[in-house]
Structure formats: structure tokens, C-alpha cells
């Protein structure tokens, strides 16, 4: 009892040490960055699994400037970017189909000096249609390169209790790429299209707000989403847990970096796309049916997907993801209120401790190493499946890396306590590993090892050794008659009889089922046959007790092979002994055979 208490106390102390090491590791910046990278990879894996079962909104349509559309524009209009009158005409024609919104994931920068009329047409189309949204981009260009412009108060916002945003310098900008002044001052529907990549270059999050010129500015999709939900809001208040409540059904759950974790909808092209060249062709032909069928009451994104225009992003579900679809995904998340919510550090550590405890408890109480390993991997697999379900059903991101690291440390710690500190008897463990539990003979693995060892020794020293293969006669019929419990009892007693009739240097093994074998070291074939006959007679003359308490007789058949005359490999010796065993059975059983012609089959 004292020893058990000491072992458990040692495990508790070692567990505390492991937990301390774990906390120290996650506090080191380089280790923390590494664990974060691994955790992000697990997020990508889970997103790839769950995104296949998510469906994008049918209300969102993307007009994409794909490669064919780019070639169409160059052929028709001579260059990219295309004349602003093209976009003005597109807006006016789309408006006839009464779309919900037209959102441009394009930057209309400065006026064209040589084409002022074209600029004016675009200005008029944007400013006169209150459901048209245009993009703006913040950056950190030096003021010597570009003088930071002042932006109108109409698009500025305030965020109360903005501690999460303030602690992320990546959300603060010193400059802006200004769009056409008349648009900038003529509409409130102007939002940012800045994206935030993680250190590995993958976009997993998006900022709903960025800071410039002593004010916050909404992301383009947040602006469009709020208007779609009829939420006219320029003042926002962040809760202590990072949430910004838009209305009763829509929440922005900010991370500790002040960003939103996007919930992806499968690989690229998951939204409905209509190529720009088809839309332009329909506009030219005044094909109202095509335009109405595709865009009536729809939220329309306009953006580029052509490789030559370089708006391709890397996301958890694809390394070649159109930038416009990132924006559409952002808006779809907002409208469906299904942003990913990451559990906090407290819950991550709590879950890690629970799984680590279950791991350690199982290892300390399971005698079988296999069960311990199965428990460890079973817990990891179960938790991984649970994490997928939580992400897929409840949009919750639970940490996998922290609990896995702590479980690994606990696993190692438990084995140190169990097998090193408690000084387990290695020889006893090895004996268990090579012994058949039913017959207490050596098992098949040990038989193979010893065959290899005896063959190598015999070759090296020009020696001999023999092999006896043993099979209980009519054992299947015996089991059918008396039952498997009686069959097991007979197996044990036959094995004991064999062991009593061989030398201590011989190696009795259970080969499989009712078949057994004996390796006779330094024994020629003649002596091996004598031993086999002795075993055969001993079994024949013995009464065996059944599980029911009754007694009965059984017989055995034996085949003998020897090295070198019958083979010099394990396979050849076993094959020869099996042939002899086959002849013994064919000739009536209950006998020993040591000679087999080459054409003798084996069972």
C-alpha cells in the first residue's frame, strides 16, 4: 500500500512539474509562435473538413473580371483599367434589375486627365444610386511620397472600449490611397478593403475596423452588411469579452487582436459567378431577361479573378483564392452571424488539463502498454472529432495544440513514473511479451526469433538442431462436442505434457490454434524423433480433465524436420515439418513422421 501511495505521489509531483514546464514553454515567444503556427494549421485542416458542408448565400452573386473578361476588355477598349464610363453604364443597367447592392472590390483612384467626361459619368452613377458601394484602402506610405489626405466625417466611426484594436498596431495606418474626390465626398457608401494576413501569409481573419486620421473606418463588407440589415450605425461599443453587438441577432466576436475569424465555404468559386464579359454582352444587347434572372434583388460583388491582375489570396481552404470571394465570404459570415469564435486561454488550458488527466489516469491504471497507447491516441482522435463538430455546428474554435502538447508531456511523465521510478522488472515484462497466455508456452513471435537464432548458430558452427510440429487430432470436432472451454483446458494440459517431456534447453512454442512446436537445440534428427515419440506416447496415455469435470483422452500427430538435411531457412524447415505432419494425419494420426517426399502437400 505504501508503495502505491508513493507511486501516486510521485506521479502528482511529476505532473505538476510537467504543467510548470508547459506553462514555461508557452510563455517563450519563439515557442508560442511555433505553437500558434501549428494551431493555425489545425484550424485550416478543420476548415477544409467542415467547409464542404457549408452553403453560401444564394443572394450573393459575383461579377468577376476573369481571364476571358480581361481579354474581352482589352480587345474592346484597348487597355486596363477600363474607361470609367464602362462601369457607369454597368451600374445603370444593373440598377434596372433592382439589385439589393452593388459592391465594387475595385479602387477608383484619382481622375483620368484625358477622360474627364468618363469620370463624371461614374461619379454620377455612384452618387445617385444609394445601393452602390465603393472601396478605399489604407496604407503606411511616407508622407514624402503621398500627402495623407483628410477623409470626410460622414464615413468616420467611433469605437468605445476599443482596447483590443489599440493593442494591435497592424490596424493603425498613417496614409490612405484616395479615391475620386467627388465620390469620396458624395456618398457614405465607402469602406475599406484592407486584409490582414497571418505570419504564414494565409488570410484567416479580417478587421471590421481600422484606424486612421483619429477615427475608425468600417470595412467595406461591414458597411454593406449593416445597411443590408437596416442598421445605421457609426458609433460602436465593445464588450469586455471583445463582442460588438450590432442587433439582437448579429454580433462581431473580435479576437484579442481586434479581428474577426472568417468561416469559409469550401474551396474557391463557392459563390455564384457571372463573368463580366457575359454581363457586358447582355448590357450591349439589352438582354433584360439575363440581367434580371441573375441580379434581381441580389447582392452583387464586382471584382477581379484574372491571374494577370494579381488579386489572388491564400486562405485555409485554398492557396489560390479570389480576393473578391474573400470579401463575399466576410459579408456572408456577417449576414449569417456565423463568424468563428475562439475559446479563451482559460478554457484551452482547462480542456488540456482534463485530457492530460485522463491520459495520465489511464496509463497509471492500464497494465498493457498497448491499451495506454490506444487510450492516448483514442483521446486525441475523440477530441479532434469533437473539435470538428464544434467548429462545424457551433462555429467554435477550440485549441488542439495546447492540449496535445500537454498530453504528450503527461504521457511521457506517466511512463517515467510507471516504468522507471517504480523499477518495473524488465525480464518479467519481456516474458509476458513472448509467452502465450493460455498455454504458457512461448508465442509465435518468439518461435520465429529462436528459429532465426538457431539457424544462424548452426550455420556458423556447422551444428545441428531440429524442429517438431505438433497438432492435436480432431480438435475442431472436440471443441464442437465438448465446448471451447474444455478445448482450452485440453490445450493447457497438452502443453504441460509436452514441456514435461523435453529438456530445459528445448523451446516449446504455441504456433497457432491447436498447433504447437518444439525447437530442439543441438539435436540431430534421430534424437528429435525419439523425443517426438516420447511426447506422442505421453499424450496418448494421459487422461485430460475437461471444464465440466469429466475426463477424456486425446491424441496428437507430429512432424519432424532437422537442419541441415531438411533445409537451412525457417521457411524450409517449417514446410518440411508440415509435410511430415500432413503424412501423419493422412496415415491415421496419433503418430510421428520424419520423412516426407518432395511432392507431399502441406495443410
Amino acid at each position: 500500500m505504501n508503495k502505491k501511495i508513493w507511486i501516486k505521489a510521485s506521479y502528482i509531483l511529476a505532473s505538476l512539474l510537467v504543467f510548470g514546464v508547459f506553462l514555461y514553454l508557452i510563455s517563450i515567444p519563439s515557442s508560442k509562435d511555433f505553437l500558434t503556427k501549428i494551431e493555425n494549421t489545425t484550424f485550416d485542416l478543420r476548415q477544409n473538413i467542415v467547409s464542404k458542408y457549408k452553403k453560401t448565400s444564394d443572394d450573393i452573386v459575383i461579377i468577376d473580371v476573369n481571364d476571358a473578361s480581361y481579354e474581352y476588355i482589352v480587345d474592346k477598349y484597348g487597355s486596363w483599367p477600363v474607361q470609367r464610363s464602362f462601369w457607369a453604364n454597368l451600374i445603370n443597367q444593373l440598377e434596372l434589375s433592382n439589385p439589393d447592392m452593388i459592391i465594387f472590390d475595385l479602387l477608383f483612384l484619382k481622375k483620368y486627365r484625358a477622360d474627364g467626361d468618363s469620370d463624371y459619368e461614374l461619379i454620377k452613377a455612384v452618387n445617385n444610386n444609394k445601393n452602390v458601394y465603393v472601396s478605399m484602402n489604407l496604407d503606411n506610405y511616407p508622407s514624402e511620397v503621398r500627402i495623407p489626405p483628410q477623409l470626410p466625417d460622414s464615413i468616420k466611426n467611433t469605437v468605445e472600449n476599443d482596447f483590443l484594436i489599440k493593442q494591435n498596431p497592424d490596424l493603425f495606418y498613417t496614409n490612405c490611397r484616395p479615391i475620386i474626390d467627388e465620390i469620396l465626398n458624395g456618398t457614405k457608401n465607402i469602406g475599406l478593403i484592407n486584409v490582414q494576413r497571418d505570419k504564414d501569409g494565409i488570410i484567416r481573419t479580417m478587421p471590421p475596423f481600422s484606424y486612421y486620421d483619429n477615427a475608425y473606418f468600417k470595412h467595406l463588407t461591414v458597411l454593406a452588411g449593416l445597411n443590408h440589415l437596416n442598421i445605421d450605425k457609426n458609433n460602436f461599443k465593445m464588450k469586455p469579452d471583445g463582442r460588438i453587438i450590432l442587433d439582437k441577432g448579429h454580433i462581431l466576436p473580435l479576437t484579442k487582436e481586434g479581428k474577426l475569424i472568417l468561416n469559409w465555404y469550401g474551396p474557391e468559386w463557392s459563390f455564384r459567378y457571372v463573368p463580366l464579359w457575359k454581363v457586358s454582352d447582355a448590357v450591349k444587347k439589352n438582354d433584360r431577361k439575363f440581367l434580371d434572372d441573375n441580379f434581381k434583388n441580389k447582392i452583387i460583388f464586382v471584382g477581379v479573378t484574372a491571374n494577370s491582375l494579381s488579386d489572388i489570396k491564400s486562405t485555409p481552404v485554398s492557396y489560390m483564392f479570389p480576393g473578391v470571394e474573400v470579401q463575399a465570404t466576410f459579408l456572408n459570415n456577417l449576414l449569417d452571424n456565423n463568424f468563428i469564435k475562439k475559446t479563451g486561454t482559460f478554457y484551452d488550458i482547462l480542456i488540456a488539463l482534463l485530457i492530460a488527466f485522463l491520459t495520465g489516469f489511464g496509463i497509471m491504471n492500464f497494465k498493457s502498454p498497448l491499451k495506454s497507447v490506444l487510450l492516448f491516441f483514442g483521446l486525441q482522435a475523440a477530441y479532434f472529432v469533437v473539435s470538428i463538430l464544434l467548429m462545424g455546428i457551433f462555429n467554435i474554435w477550440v485549441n488542439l495544440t495546447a492540449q496535445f502538447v500537454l498530453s504528450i508531456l503527461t504521457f511521457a511523465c506517466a511512463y517515467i513514473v510507471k516504468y522507471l521510478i517504480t523499477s518495473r522488472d524488465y525480464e518479467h515484462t519481456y516474458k509476458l511479451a513472448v509467452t502465450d497466455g493460455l498455454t504458457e508456452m512461448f508465442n509465435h513471435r518468439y518461435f520465429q526469433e529462436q528459429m532465426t537464432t538457431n539457424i544462424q548458430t548452426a550455420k556458423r558452427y556447422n551444428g545441428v538442431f531440429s524442429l517438431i510440429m505438433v497438432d492435436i487430432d480432431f480438435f475442431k470436432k472436440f471443441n464442437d462436442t465438448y465446448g471451447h472451454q474444455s478445448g482450452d483446458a485440453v490445450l493447457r494440459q497438452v502443453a504441460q505434457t509436452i514441456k514435461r517431456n523435453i529438456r530445459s534447453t528445448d523451446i516449446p512454442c504455441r504456433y497457432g490454434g491447436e498447433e504447437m512446436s518444439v525447437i530442439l537445440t543441438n539435436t540431430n534428427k534421430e534424437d528429435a524423433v525419439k523425443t517426438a515419440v516420447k511426447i506422442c506416447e505421453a499424450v496418448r496415455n494421459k487422461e485430460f480433465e475437461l471444464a465440466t469435470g469429466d475426463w477424456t483422452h486425446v491424441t496428437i500427430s507430429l512432424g519432424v524436420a532437422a537442419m541441415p538435411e531438411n533445409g537451412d531457412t525457417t521457411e524450409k524447415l517449417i514446410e518440411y515439418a508440415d509435410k511430415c505432419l500432413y503424412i501423419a494425419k493422412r496415415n491415421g494420426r496419433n503418430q510421428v513422421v520424419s520423412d516426407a517426399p518432395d511432392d507431399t502437400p502441406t495443410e
Side-chain angles (χ1 to χ4, degrees), residues 26-77:
I26 63 175
S27 68
I28 300 174
S30 57
S31 298
K32 191 175 182 179
D33 288 345
F34 176 74
L35 294 176
T36 299
K37 182 178 180 180
I38 299 300
E39 181 60 26
N40 284 341
T41 302
T42 71
F43 172 80
D44 297 349
L45 175 61
R46 283 174 277 178
Q47 277 290 300
N48 272 280
I49 294 172
V50 303
S51 64
K52 297 174 183 176
Y53 304 98
K54 294 185 179 294
K55 188 176 183 301
T56 57
S57 172
D58 292 333
D59 293 331
I60 298 176
V61 181
I62 296 175
I63 297 178
D64 66 319
V65 186
N66 58 11
D67 288 306
S69 298
Y70 176 72
E71 186 174 334
Y72 173 91
I73 287 172
V74 171
D75 182 59
K76 299 292 183 183
Y77 300 97

Side-chain angles (χ1 to χ4, degrees), residues 109 238 305 327 377 380 408 417-418 437 462 528 570 581 584 593:
L109 302 173
M238 191 185 303
T305 62
Q327 309 295 347
F377 285 106
Q380 305 309 312
I408 285 284
V417 171
K418 190 174 182 180
N462 294 321
T570 298
L581 186 59
V593 174

Side-chain angles (χ1 to χ4, degrees), residues 45 63 88 106 211 231 238 264 268 278 311-312 336 372 384 396 465 476 514 572 599 603:
L45 175 61
I63 297 178
L106 301 170
Y211 193 83
I231 301 173
M238 191 185 303
W264 301 92
E268 69 271 23
K278 285 189 176 182
D311 192 28
I312 302 298
D336 291 348
S372 299
F384 179 67
I396 295 175
F465 85 96
K476 184 180 183 303
E514 73 274 16
K572 289 180 180 178
D599 60 350
E603 289 190 319

Side-chain angles (χ1 to χ4, degrees), residues 470-507:
V470 183
D471 195 25
I472 300 176
D473 296 330
F474 302 111
F475 192 68
K476 184 180 183 303
K477 183 178 179 181
F478 182 92
N479 276 332
D480 293 340
T481 303
Y482 297 103
H484 288 281
Q485 289 185 331
S486 292
D488 290 346
V490 168
L491 269 174
R492 283 193 295 269
Q493 295 171 72
V494 170
Q496 292 168 3
T497 304
I498 291 173
K499 288 192 283 186
R500 283 196 295 268
N501 287 275
I502 59 177
R503 301 168 303 178
S504 61
T505 56
D506 296 332
I507 304 168

Side-chain angles (χ1 to χ4, degrees), residues 524-538:
N524 58 31
K525 192 168 189 178
E526 182 180 352
D527 292 336
V529 170
K530 291 178 182 179
T531 301
V533 171
K534 180 181 177 183
I535 293 171
C536 186
E537 291 176 350

Side-chain angles (χ1 to χ4, degrees), residues 63-65 69-70 72-74 76-77 79-94 104 106 108 112 115 117-119 121-122 125 275-284 302:
I63 297 178
D64 66 319
V65 186
S69 298
Y70 176 72
Y72 173 91
I73 287 172
V74 171
K76 299 292 183 183
Y77 300 97
S79 65
W80 178 271
V82 69
Q83 298 171 356
R84 266 71 183 274
S85 57
F86 173 87
W87 299 115
N89 188 42
L90 178 68
I91 292 171
N92 293 329
Q93 291 300 315
L94 289 174
F104 280 90
L106 301 170
F108 296 122
Y112 290 157
D115 196 4
D117 291 340
S118 180
D119 287 332
E121 290 181 43
L122 177 62
L276 177 62
W277 72 266
K278 285 189 176 182
V279 180
S280 180
D281 191 57
V283 167
K284 275 187 176 182
V302 182

Side-chain angles (χ1 to χ4, degrees), residues 367-483:
K367 292 182 178 180
S368 168
L370 176 60
K371 287 184 179 179
S372 299
V373 172
L374 290 176
L375 171 70
F376 174 77
F377 285 106
L379 285 172
Q380 305 309 312
Y383 182 59
F384 179 67
V385 171
V386 169
S387 76
I388 292 173
L389 293 175
L390 287 173
M391 185 171 288
I393 299 173
F394 301 105
N395 303 319
I396 295 175
W397 176 1
V398 293
N399 192 292
L400 286 179
T401 308
Q403 67 82 20
F404 183 72
V405 170
L406 189 55
S407 294
I408 285 284
L409 293 174
T410 303
F411 186 83
C413 169
Y415 264 95
I416 289 173
V417 171
K418 190 174 182 180
Y419 292 102
L420 297 181
I421 297 180
T422 62
S423 301
R424 282 274 183 169
D425 186 356
Y426 173 77
E427 292 183 2
H428 175 68
T429 304
Y430 181 71
K431 183 179 179 182
L432 291 176
V434 300
T435 302
D436 175 63
L438 178 63
T439 63
E440 295 184 353
M441 302 174 95
F442 292 109
N443 60 21
H444 185 82
R445 185 184 72 176
Y446 190 78
F447 165 78
Q448 294 288 346
E449 291 175 357
Q450 291 302 309
M451 285 292 291
T452 301
T453 300
N454 277 273
I455 288 171
Q456 291 174 347
T457 302
K459 286 180 178 180
R460 182 177 300 171
Y461 300 107
N462 294 321
V464 296
F465 85 96
S466 299
L467 169 66
I468 301 174
M469 298 295 289
V470 183
D471 195 25
I472 300 176
D473 296 330
F474 302 111
F475 192 68
K476 184 180 183 303
K477 183 178 179 181
F478 182 92
N479 276 332
D480 293 340
T481 303
Y482 297 103

